[in-house]
Amino acid sequence: MGREWTIQQVARATGTTSRTLRHYGEIGLLPASRTGTNGYRYYDEAALRRLQRILLLRELGLGLAAIGDVLAARVGEEGALTAHLAQLEEEAARIARLTRSVRRTLAGLRTGEGIAVEEMFDGFDASRYEEEVVERWGRAAHEDGQRAWRELGEAGRRAHLAEHEAVGAGLAAAAARGDAVEDGAVQELVRRHHAWVSVFWTPDAAAYRALTRGYVEDERFRATYEAFGPGTAEYLRRAADVFAQRALS
């Protein structure tokens, strides 16, 4: 038997996660070379070469279904990249719409005229996160979230976004003051944040800890909270740990 690596070793070496590798296996993209009697998955050199190709294609922006077609030789890499180019052009057009939307919002704020809700959200597309949400939390979580967002209506969506801004600003101010995360006012802000999340999905203690830890570890979410003030993401994570222990356990 040639050399093998455990799923944990592969995850560390590639900078991905065991959850992602298991997901790749479940959808047939990267089957483990073998599964031990202890249930652990092992990967040989051929599997690592396949994983390298998967990650390279992911870097180019191909989705998992397209990568599966390439690996199965149902479509050549040129054809896959051509299709991806079309997707990029669509994304560029969407970004242009977002840019116009933000400019119109700024103009409305400066003049006091306001704008139509349809213009405020022109270009937003939450479906681009579908794959990640399904991988982390399951298909039901994604579908429930999408349905809840639609059911909020225009006024509800505006109120929901405003609540997030208010909570984020409050946490940033508390962090800047050096307020202890156990303080009642801080915990009230975290309660509001948990309620804000729960509009779409109600996380228990473990899930809420994992979610807010992701705000620190994932640069996209970290950037969202750091925009309120330096250290806000980590401050929320620590405050959420307290809230989860007190209110959700």
Side-chain angles (χ1 to χ4, degrees), residues 171 174 178-190 235-243 245-246:
L171 288 167
D179 294 351
V181 295
E182 298 85 1
D183 283 359
V186 176
Q187 287 299 299
E188 171 59 17
L189 286 168
V190 178
Y235 188 78
L236 171 56
R237 183 200 65 76
R238 292 192 293 112
D241 279 349
V242 175
F243 179 81
Q245 181 179 4
R246 290 180 176 178

Side-chain angles (χ1 to χ4, degrees), residues 75-89:
V75 61
E77 289 191 45
E78 180 179 352
L81 290 174
T82 298
H84 178 54
L85 176 60
Q87 294 173 355
L88 288 175
E89 290 172 342

Side-chain angles (χ1 to χ4, degrees), residues 94-170:
R94 189 183 71 83
I95 293 297
R97 288 164 54 205
L98 277 173
T99 301
R100 290 194 298 270
S101 173
V102 172
R103 284 175 176 164
R104 286 193 294 265
T105 299
L106 284 172
L109 288 172
R110 289 166 179 163
T111 63
E113 295 177 357
I115 63 169
V117 171
E118 293 79 5
E119 292 181 334
M120 286 183 68
F121 299 103
D122 185 29
F124 284 89
D125 179 17
S127 67
R128 65 190 186 280
Y129 299 117
E130 176 178 356
E131 179 183 300
E132 183 174 353
V133 172
V134 170
E135 178 184 334
R136 290 188 177 188
W137 310 112
R139 171 63 61 182
H142 175 265
E143 292 178 351
D144 288 347
Q146 292 289 89
R147 181 170 55 255
W149 181 250
R150 290 193 300 269
E151 291 175 353
L152 279 177
E154 292 179 3
R157 286 192 286 269
R158 294 181 69 172
H160 189 259
L161 292 171
E163 173 67 357
H164 185 256
E165 292 294 308
V167 169

Side-chain angles (χ1 to χ4, degrees), residues 197-215:
V197 172
S198 298
V199 169
F200 306 108
W201 160 66
T202 304
D204 59 16
Y208 190 52
R209 284 192 179 99
L211 177 68
T212 52
R213 186 168 61 249
Y215 293 164

